[in-house]
Amino acid sequence: MPEKMSNEKVDTLRALGAEIVRNISHFCKPVFISPGMSHSWRLHKQIPESIILDQYRNPGNPLAHYDTTAVEILDQCGGKVNMVVCGAGTGGTVTGIGRKVKETLPDCKVVGVDPEGSILAEPEALNKSSITAYEVEGIGYDFIPTVLDRSVVDKWYKSNDKESLQLARSLMREEGLLCGGSSGSALSCALKAIEDADLKKGEVCVVILPDGVRNYMTKFLSDQWMMERDLLPQKDITDQYWWWDTTVAALRLEAPLTILPEVTVQEAIDIMKRKGFDQMPVVDVNGVILGMVTLGSLLTRVISKKIDYKDPVEGALYRQFKKVSLNMPLGKLINLLHTHHFALVTHSQIQYAGANKDEKKKEVIIGIVTQIDLLHYISSVEEGVRHRTLSVGEP
């Protein structure tokens, strides 16, 4: 399974007793592109009596939709369909439905949906994009599956994550349809296709909603997951979180204590314990940020004998830290703090070095911000509002 696939899919397969092998690619590579490198074929050769269902080449894939899905659509619509909109992944759905519908209703328009970052759409110019990965699962690939017959598609539309996932949530909220992200993709492109084709009242457009929400409970159903990726409508966010657009400057952080790289591990631990700090920035004599040291990391390294109490902290620097500015909105900050324990708040200053010398930019550490700082600010403001409300209401 590609790493992008949801944990729900992984957990379901494990519950069935499967052993999962994850592919680092954003896309599911076909076994026929590079048999010598394919994870699937390698495992197939290693595991006795194993099979590869291979939905990318299996003729039963589009045939199932030709014999069943398309027939159901025609029956349910009384043989009157003007447009069918399908997402394309392996290509089985759009191929099977498209072939059957075209045989029965030659004038019916078949619309293919392909996410930005995929290459299934035609003409090729539609696929030109700076996007290399997308969150919606089940549609789009970076190769053309054998079962995908693009000749049955009259027009392709490209979908994007933001519209797709927001519309999937709208389908749930407004229509009670518990569908997944690729259903939102199909609907977003269907709305454009209907407008472009100028369908009239009484004409029929069938939109295939191919997936359920079960596999995405911890993904686009989560406000937090959506906010981390800037996929939630701004109005929804600011209505729910009054502090969302407030900047880091409102936190009024105190300038942190910094240490030089030659300070010993023991001295750093003593300072943090005495001051009640969890971490401290390490800077050189010119104030350039070299990294961070944390109390937990230092103690762990000492206990595991990777460093000695007498060693300089320079050998235990934590260099993977985030820097933010005073202008960053708290909404973006909280998303960052979900994956990082802290962030350095910095400010750039211009340093004048003399009449004949170039000015230099110098980065100054203004503070260290954590989730506790954000929580304290929000709670203190809300507490102040409650006190003022009570005071106004008193006789």
Side-chain angles (χ1 to χ4, degrees):
M1 294 180 67
E3 283 186 340
K4 69 172 280 185
M5 294 300 180
S6 70
N7 290 330
E8 287 85 350
K9 293 179 181 178
V10 175
D11 292 340
T12 300
L13 286 170
R14 283 185 176 144
L16 289 167
E19 178 183 343
I20 311 296
V21 177
R22 303 305 289 267
N23 187 335
I24 61 172
S25 171
H26 284 291
F27 304 89
C28 206
K29 293 288 186 182
V31 293
F32 58 90
I33 287 290
S34 180
M37 298 298 291
S38 165
H39 291 305
S40 300
W41 278 110
R42 188 178 69 249
L43 292 171
H44 177 46
K45 291 177 181 178
Q46 293 172 355
I47 302 172
E49 299 182 13
S50 62
I51 61 169
I52 296 177
L53 299 179
D54 194 1
Q55 58 185 333
Y56 310 105
R57 293 188 299 181
N58 191 333
N61 180 357
L63 189 60
H65 295 286
Y66 180 92
D67 288 336
T68 60
T69 316
V71 172
E72 181 181 355
I73 290 171
L74 293 169
D75 288 346
Q76 292 291 322
C77 295
K80 181 182 178 181
V81 183
N82 301 94
M83 178 182 290
V84 179
V85 181
C86 307
T90 63
T93 302
V94 69
T95 298
I97 293 176
R99 285 175 177 170
K100 185 68 172 183
V101 167
K102 288 291 186 183
E103 288 175 7
T104 311
L105 302 169
D107 293 332
C108 179
K109 300 299 180 185
V110 176
V111 174
V113 176
D114 188 40
E116 292 179 356
S118 171
I119 65 163
L120 303 186
E122 290 185 313
E124 180 58 33
L126 283 176
N127 299 319
K128 292 181 179 179
S129 171
S130 59
I131 296 173
T132 57
Y134 46 90
E135 297 291 350
V136 170
E137 298 181 29
I139 56 174
Y141 283 106
D142 57 349
F143 66 95
I144 309 299
T146 302
V147 301
L148 173 58
D149 180 5
R150 294 190 288 180
S151 69
V152 303
V153 178
D154 294 293
K155 190 170 184 179
W156 288 90
Y157 284 82
K158 303 293 283 190
S159 64
N160 63 73
D161 283 335
K162 195 162 191 173
E163 285 185 3
S164 299
L165 298 178
Q166 287 180 15
L167 275 174
R169 287 166 64 119
S170 295
L171 281 170
M172 297 174 65
R173 183 174 58 251
E174 297 171 21
E175 303 294 339
L177 299 173
L178 300 177
C179 58
S182 61
S183 297
S185 299
L187 179 58
S188 70
C189 292
L191 294 173
K192 297 170 187 174
I194 290 169
E195 184 177 357
D196 290 347
D198 194 24
L199 292 189
K200 307 298 183 185
K201 183 177 180 179
E203 293 185 305
V204 178
C205 174
V206 175
V207 184
I208 303 297
L209 306 182
D211 56 354
V213 78
R214 183 198 66 185
N215 289 328
Y216 312 104
M217 305 296 281
T218 56
K219 297 190 83 173
F220 80 91
L221 238 60
S222 163
D223 283 355
Q224 188 57 54
W225 187 91
M226 291 284 284
M227 287 188 292
E228 287 175 6
R229 292 157 179 79
D230 291 327
L231 297 174
L232 201 63
Q234 190 66 28
K235 183 178 183 300
D236 289 359
I237 299 173
T238 52
D239 285 352
Q240 189 173 357
Y241 306 101
W242 60 264
W243 43 265
W244 190 265
D245 291 327
T246 305
T247 63
V248 172
L251 301 181
R252 298 185 180 277
L253 301 168
E254 295 183 3
L257 176 66
T258 61
I259 60 174
L260 295 172
E262 56 265 26
V263 170
T264 67
V265 170
Q266 182 65 67
E267 288 174 320
I269 292 174
D270 290 342
I271 292 170
M272 283 190 276
K273 284 184 175 180
R274 187 168 64 251
K275 299 285 188 179
F277 298 157
D278 291 320
Q279 61 275 316
M280 287 191 301
V282 179
V283 300
D284 64 16
V285 292
N286 297 314
V288 177
I289 305 168
L290 302 177
M292 299 286 292
V293 289
T294 67
L295 183 58
S297 177
L298 290 179
L299 290 173
T300 299
R301 285 169 176 261
V302 168
I303 292 171
S304 61
K305 300 188 182 300
K306 291 183 179 178
I307 56 174
D308 189 84
Y309 284 109
K310 298 179 182 179
D311 292 338
V313 294
E314 188 174 16
L317 288 184
Y318 183 69
R319 301 181 189 275
Q320 293 183 342
F321 56 90
K322 289 292 184 179
K323 293 187 285 187
V324 302
S325 70
L326 288 170
N327 296 324
M328 174 178 278
L330 297 184
K332 289 191 180 253
L333 175 65
I334 196 169
N335 289 334
L336 185 151
L337 292 177
H338 277 293
T339 52
H340 297 81
H341 295 300
F342 62 88
L344 283 184
V345 184
T346 62
H347 178 67
S348 293
Q349 290 182 339
I350 298 177
Q351 191 175 58
Y352 180 74
N356 298 321
K357 296 182 180 179
D358 294 333
E359 294 178 343
K360 295 182 179 179
K361 276 191 175 182
K362 183 179 180 181
E363 196 172 47
V364 179
I365 302 174
I366 298 174
I368 301 175
V369 62
T370 65
Q371 286 183 330
I372 296 297
D373 296 309
L374 186 54
L375 179 61
H376 175 72
Y377 169 74
I378 294 170
S379 61
S380 63
V381 172
E382 291 181 347
E383 184 66 24
V385 171
R386 280 194 293 271
H387 279 304
R388 288 194 294 274
T389 302
L390 289 173
S391 298
V392 170
E394 289 175 355

